[in-house]
Amino acid sequence: MKVLIIGGVAAGTKAAAKLKRELPGADITIFTREKEISYAGCGLPYLIGGSVEDEAELIVNTPEKFAALTGVAVETGCEAAALDPTAKTISIRRSPDGPAEAVGYDRAVIAVGASPLRPDAAGVELPGVFTLRTPADASAIRGWAEREDIRRAVVVGGGFIGLEVAENLKTRGIQVTLLEASSQLLPGIFDPEMADYLRRHLVKNGFRVITGAKAEAFLGDSRITAVRTGARILPADLAVLSIGIRPNTDFLAGSGIAMEKGAIVVDRRMRTNLPDVYAAGDCALVTNRITGKPQYSPMGSSANLEGRTLARVIAGEEAAYPGVLGTGIVRLPGLNCGRTGLSEAQAVGEGYDVVTALAVTDDKAHYYPGAATFITKLIADRQSHRLLGAQVFGPGSVDKMIDIAATGIAAGMILDDFDGLDLAYAPPFSTAIHPLVQAVYVLLNKLSGAMVSMTPAEYAAGKAQGRRVIDVSRAPAVPGATYVALDKVRGPIDGIGADEPLLLVCTKGRRAYLLQRKLAAFGYTDTVVLEGSTSFCEVKAHAAGTSVPPEEVTRVKGLGFLRDKNTADRFNGRVITRNGKITAGESRAISEAAERFGSGEIAMTSRLTVEIQGVPFDSIEPMREFLMQAGLETGGTGSKVRPVVSCKGTTCQYGLIDTFSLSEEIHERFYHGYSHVKLPHKFKIAVGGCPNNCVKPDLNDLGIIGQRVPEPNLELCRGCKVCQIEAACPIKVAKMADGKIAVDSDACNHCGRCLGKCPFKVFERSTNGYRIYIGGRWGKKVAQGRCLDRVFTDRAEVLDVVEKAILLFREQGITGERFADTVARLGFENVQEQLLSNELLARKQDNISSQKHLVGGATC
């Protein structure tokens, strides 16, 4: 039997290897256009991040090794040009410009995979814009990130691969923006409320997430500098496209093979409609195991199983591939996300009488070190109790939850079958009642009426409107809610009516359920438990005009919202400018935010941040979300590196340096890069373009001032009676002495205004540089900063000094003191010596990881 397999990687090589074992005498040849036939495609994002160190680690088999191990002939660099089912031939082109040669077959396997989609957008071919499909792609992205010292990246597409790429770029210290055209991340994979939780988690971990927007153009001349959407421009040194894939099936046009949207239609035996032609992998459709309908499910796991099944069928076995459940999992910083089966929307679309429950459970014994939680959403049919789907989030072993659920769904188990299931238990691994079984119990309680609850999706849609929020957490946790201590409830609760509509919340939902059972026994008739409670939902119970609890005032202050002292519940939100300027689009977004969420008024702070006035407490999160969509962030408070303040030296007639560029680099590297680092007090940085000191760099903890140091050629001086240099010097330190011009180098402020003023070219040459001041401050106690002895000419060295100053302050500062106090206590010469050496950088990791300054001293 002569078998031609077109394509390798997962399905093609698996089919070839299995078939050769089943039929050792078969003549099997793989034709593939790639140089590698078998690589771990799912590991590509981790090569970018560095978890996989070398591209070679992802190569499962080289063509030579595979051929030697299996006896299958392998020809790389070959592309299929056409399929003739009547003649039973496939036309193969062995080089891009070479002739097509018809190769006959007895059986043919199409496993050509798919290629990444590229948007029809200007600039998509610019250097720095990548797709990800092969190890070479991953190496190219990683090389670009390392070689070009990338600071900002845009990942276009919020599916599994896009999220994995985003996570791995973040591990490299790159600021990542996720851009998804759909209204949510992982569209069609997770239900909207689950996707929203995921979005909130990513934002809290420093990602910028923009949904409902497409990449319309990639900007730049010789390389990418930004991505333009319909509403904004996103600065970017790197863009990775992950907007989907398209089956590589163009060569099958005219063959008569059945396809849907480019994917080959096959039956459960992986047969196409053409005799003796089979298909598997990312170029073929498969069957949904629940609905029985065809679906496109390009996964490496199913591709291997399809290839194995296909080989058994060709070998004459009565094999069939039962189909997929859409099982998938992704790792993100601090959160693993898995799913299997139907989503709620899919189940409704299939006509099921859908019921869901969301449960927050311990993922192992609560007392065991490292214990955390699982957030589990189960989807089932109300009438039959059949489990239809599961979605699970958590920092731990989400895979075991999904695997158990997938097994149950595949076996046709109903919820009741999980009751008493004998699953592995020991404190390091699980809870005595398995977390998935606990989630099943929640859903069964809901079905039986033992628990009356509201889903997070219903709560987000406003179904709790008019209900009084009862907080039954171990300690009060919901501002404005009525707190009830569960262990003290012995009868009806004073002040809460028996017929009053109540929403019961706690941390996870369990205590709320227990309170509901107690209240039912005491005659309360309208209580509803909020599923997931505060662990999952953003619960709001604060009444307008009432005082906000002190702990909440402190919390939102960390987000950049300072309470307006004239009100009980209104705040002024600081919108950060990266370098002292904002775009017109950002300005419009700030104005709209002020009108929608605040008083309509905007103030400018002395630090060049924009402050939106009069934001009600309950509008803080909506406003932050609105601003984030425009690429803006709030913050700039606390004992941390503060947003940089910059003059407009880039465009000012006296400006000597590019202040906008330098300030933005400081913002990304130290405001964002050190956002998790607590300092003894706030640390303010100012960048001035010249010695005019418009933004007072010498009155900040650290200030940088542009310098232009003249290098006069005094041999050319003619001792003019009216010296143009003496006349041009704004601070009068250039003076004629003994018939020659002289400049007091200690008094010169290096403004550069003398340059080019002498007709005899005495003052033509100069050196551009930076003066660094340390230990300044203004406010309650003013301190004049002192400049380091050197004028720095290397911008990278300036940035290193900034980092060393921050590290010195963290390591040697005392909690509550300003950097000026630290410099005075240690001595300027001592501090200068440390800033000019590299010992602080050598101790960086130990310094940052140490538990220091947990409180800090900043009060504003």
Side-chain angles (χ1 to χ4, degrees):
M1 181 189 297
K2 186 175 183 180
V3 181
L4 299 186
I5 299 178
I6 312 301
V9 192
T13 54
K14 176 60 70 175
K18 177 64 175 174
L19 184 57
K20 195 66 174 176
R21 290 195 297 271
E22 296 291 317
L23 299 176
D27 177 5
I28 305 173
T29 302
I30 293 178
F31 290 100
T32 176
R33 66 181 180 184
E34 307 292 344
K35 69 174 183 177
E36 301 295 347
I37 65 161
S38 184
Y39 57 83
C42 299
L44 299 180
Y46 304 99
L47 177 61
I48 295 172
S51 298
V52 177
E53 294 185 359
D54 189 81
E55 182 180 330
E57 296 178 46
L58 297 178
I59 306 303
V60 179
N61 271 313
T62 64
E64 297 77 16
K65 182 180 176 182
F66 184 81
L69 284 172
T70 63
V72 172
V74 179
E75 294 196 35
T76 60
C78 301
E79 189 164 7
L83 168 68
D84 185 341
T86 303
K88 298 190 76 168
T89 61
I90 297 177
S91 296
I92 301 295
R93 187 173 284 115
R94 287 183 164 84
S95 64
D97 300 322
E101 172 193 343
V103 181
Y105 64 83
D106 297 313
R107 304 285 190 276
V109 177
I110 310 300
V112 289
S115 295
L117 292 173
R118 298 179 75 87
D120 183 18
V124 74
E125 302 298 334
L126 278 170
V129 181
F130 297 90
T131 56
L132 179 64
R133 191 64 178 170
T134 68
D137 295 335
S139 291
I141 295 170
R142 177 171 169 174
W144 180 270
E146 293 173 343
R147 186 173 61 254
E148 304 296 328
D149 191 27
I150 298 305
R151 298 289 181 186
R152 297 165 300 190
V154 174
V155 177
V156 184
F160 278 132
I161 300 300
L163 290 177
E164 288 173 344
V165 170
E167 184 224 2
N168 280 278
L169 289 174
K170 193 76 164 60
T171 63
R172 304 192 69 88
I174 297 171
Q175 291 295 315
V176 179
T177 298
L178 267 165
L179 182 64
E180 168 56 47
S182 176
S183 60
Q184 66 166 76
L185 296 174
L186 295 165
I189 297 174
F190 286 99
D191 287 318
E193 75 276 20
M194 300 293 284
D196 185 62
Y197 179 90
L198 170 60
R199 178 194 59 77
R200 286 184 272 130
H201 175 84
L202 289 173
V203 170
K204 288 176 182 177
N205 280 270
F207 292 82
R208 182 179 176 187
V209 181
I210 299 174
T211 56
K214 294 181 179 180
E216 295 186 349
F218 299 86
L219 309 181
D221 295 323
S222 59
R223 52 175 286 171
I224 184 173
T225 57
V227 178
R228 189 183 73 216
T229 73
R232 61 192 64 87
I233 292 176
L234 308 172
D237 312 305
L238 164 69
V240 181
L241 307 178
S242 184
I243 60 175
I245 56 177
R246 182 179 182 275
N248 296 321
T249 54
D250 287 350
F251 77 98
L252 295 172
S255 68
I257 198 167
M259 293 189 287
E260 292 182 9
K261 297 182 179 179
I264 302 169
V265 177
V266 295
D267 62 14
R268 291 179 184 266
R269 290 168 63 78
M270 311 311 297
R271 299 175 299 192
T272 72
N273 63 310
L274 300 179
D276 299 323
V277 178
Y278 302 77
D282 291 359
C283 64
L285 296 172
V286 288
T287 302
N288 183 290
R289 196 159 181 160
I290 298 175
T291 67
K293 297 178 180 179
Q295 76 175 49
Y296 189 51
S297 183
M299 298 286 285
S301 53
S302 54
N304 273 279
L305 296 172
E306 294 160 37
R308 189 175 191 277
T309 300
L310 182 155
R312 294 172 61 202
V313 170
I314 293 177
E317 295 184 35
E318 289 297 322
Y321 182 58
V324 300
L325 292 172
T327 305
I329 192 167
V330 62
R331 185 190 74 178
L332 297 170
L335 191 71
N336 302 318
C337 308
R339 61 93 64 206
T340 190
L342 302 179
S343 67
E344 182 177 357
Q346 290 167 339
V348 170
E350 290 298 324
Y352 289 102
D353 183 5
V354 175
V355 61
T356 73
L358 187 137
V360 180
T361 60
D362 294 332
D363 65 354
K364 56 179 65 71
H366 68 276
Y367 53 81
Y368 192 83
T373 57
F374 285 134
I375 295 169
T376 304
K377 178 177 180 178
L378 298 181
I379 300 103
D381 178 62
R382 187 183 305 272
Q383 302 304 318
S384 67
H385 286 200
R386 180 184 178 188
L387 181 63
L388 299 173
Q391 300 172 28
V392 185
F393 290 172
S397 301
V398 163
D399 57 322
K400 74 175 182 180
M401 297 281 283
I402 292 300
D403 287 344
I404 296 169
T407 302
I409 295 170
M413 293 173 65
I414 64 172
L415 297 172
D416 311 70
D417 293 330
F418 287 88
D419 189 3
L421 201 61
D422 189 11
L423 299 171
Y425 163 65
F429 302 103
S430 184
T431 50
I433 298 177
H434 194 277
L436 186 68
V437 177
Q438 290 186 48
V440 168
Y441 286 165
V442 171
L443 186 45
L444 286 172
N445 283 341
K446 186 173 179 177
L447 283 164
S448 71
M451 180 182 77
V452 179
S453 65
M454 180 182 298
T455 68
E458 291 170 333
Y459 179 73
K463 192 175 180 180
Q465 189 72 30
R467 288 188 174 274
R468 181 176 179 179
V469 179
I470 305 298
D471 180 6
V472 66
S473 307
R474 294 186 183 278
V478 181
T482 300
Y483 181 71
V484 172
L486 180 64
D487 57 350
K488 295 181 180 178
V489 177
R490 300 287 187 271
I493 303 172
D494 291 342
I496 302 178
D499 297 326
E500 189 176 351
L502 306 177
L503 182 71
L504 311 182
V505 303
C506 58
T507 303
K508 299 177 181 178
R510 181 175 178 272
R511 293 172 65 86
Y513 167 63
L514 296 177
L515 178 62
Q516 184 179 63
R517 297 302 297 267
K518 278 191 174 186
L519 293 180
F522 300 136
Y524 285 81
T525 60
D526 193 4
T527 65
V528 175
V529 172
L530 177 59
E531 296 173 18
S533 283
T534 60
S535 292
F536 187 85
C537 304
E538 293 182 305
V539 180
K540 295 178 181 178
H542 179 265
T546 60
S547 296
V548 178
E551 62 273 14
E552 285 299 296
V553 172
T554 300
R555 181 184 68 82
V556 299
K557 177 183 171 184
L559 302 176
F561 289 81
L562 306 179
R563 193 175 72 82
D564 181 340
K565 67 179 182 180
N566 298 310
T567 71
D569 70 336
R570 291 182 178 266
F571 294 76
N572 301 325
R574 292 181 177 177
V575 184
I576 296 168
T577 59
R578 298 172 293 277
N579 53 9
K581 67 176 181 179
I582 55 177
T583 67
E586 290 170 338
S587 179
R588 285 191 291 270
I590 292 170
S591 296
E592 185 175 349
E595 291 179 342
R596 288 178 58 176
F597 304 104
S599 65
E601 296 178 317
I602 298 170
M604 294 296 297
T605 74
S606 59
R607 298 294 298 175
L608 296 188
T609 57
V610 182
E611 200 169 82
I612 296 177
Q613 304 286 290
V615 181
F617 176 77
D618 285 346
S619 295
I620 287 176
E621 288 301 331
M623 190 181 91
R624 292 183 71 234
E625 169 69 15
F626 176 83
L627 291 170
M628 186 195 69
Q629 296 297 319
L632 295 163
E633 58 186 327
T634 63
T637 58
S639 297
K640 298 181 179 182
V641 177
R642 294 290 182 87
V644 64
V645 60
S646 169
C647 78
K648 62 186 190 72
T650 304
T651 58
C652 175
Q653 62 177 320
Y654 299 120
L656 305 177
I657 58 173
D658 187 344
T659 53
F660 290 155
S661 173
L662 177 60
S663 297
E664 188 158 3
E665 187 165 0
I666 291 172
H667 178 79
E668 294 295 338
R669 183 166 167 181
F670 303 117
Y671 177 71
H672 280 145
Y674 275 71
S675 62
H676 63 293
V677 178
K678 181 77 79 172
L679 300 175
H681 211 291
K682 56 191 166 189
F683 191 89
K684 296 181 176 181
I685 302 172
V687 176
C690 75
N692 281 345
N693 285 4
C694 291
V695 292
K696 309 295 186 291
D698 57 343
L699 293 178
N700 280 261
D701 297 284
L702 185 142
I704 301 169
I705 300 176
Q707 303 280 284
R708 188 157 290 163
V709 183
E711 298 174 354
N713 184 352
L714 297 180
E715 293 181 359
L716 301 178
C717 179
R718 300 191 181 184
C720 303
K721 290 183 179 180
V722 178
C723 177
Q724 298 301 315
I725 300 302
E726 188 175 23
C729 181
I731 59 173
K732 307 304 179 185
V733 297
K735 297 183 180 297
M736 294 294 297
D738 300 325
K740 292 283 187 179
I741 187 68
V743 178
D744 184 347
S745 59
D746 291 332
C748 177
N749 68 0
H750 305 152
C751 68
R753 296 195 206 174
C754 57
L755 297 172
K757 296 296 192 299
C758 175
F760 304 107
K761 301 187 183 303
V762 175
F763 280 75
E764 292 294 312
R765 295 181 301 176
S766 65
T767 297
N768 289 346
Y770 310 83
R771 179 80 82 184
I772 299 178
Y773 284 77
I774 61 171
R777 71 175 173 206
W778 58 351
K780 293 184 287 289
K781 185 178 179 183
V782 177
Q784 186 83 29
R786 180 175 169 184
C787 64
L788 302 183
D789 292 342
R790 284 180 51 192
V791 172
F792 297 85
T793 58
D794 182 2
R795 175 162 154 170
E797 192 174 10
V798 170
L799 292 168
D800 282 345
V801 171
V802 175
E803 184 164 27
K804 285 184 276 190
I806 297 168
L807 292 170
L808 184 146
F809 188 34
R810 174 171 168 80
E811 180 184 81
Q812 299 168 40
I814 298 171
T815 296
E817 74 176 4
R818 290 293 300 272
F819 188 50
D821 302 320
T822 305
V823 173
R825 180 169 50 80
L826 298 177
F828 176 83
E829 298 300 335
N830 177 0
V831 172
Q832 176 172 241
E833 182 179 354
Q834 293 190 66
L835 297 184
L836 297 180
S837 74
N838 288 319
E839 293 180 8
L840 285 160
L841 292 176
R843 301 193 298 270
K844 175 179 175 179
Q845 291 307 318
D846 289 341
N847 184 351
I848 290 178
S849 62
S850 65
Q851 294 292 303
K852 299 185 67 173
H853 312 297
L854 299 181
V855 178
T859 57
C860 64

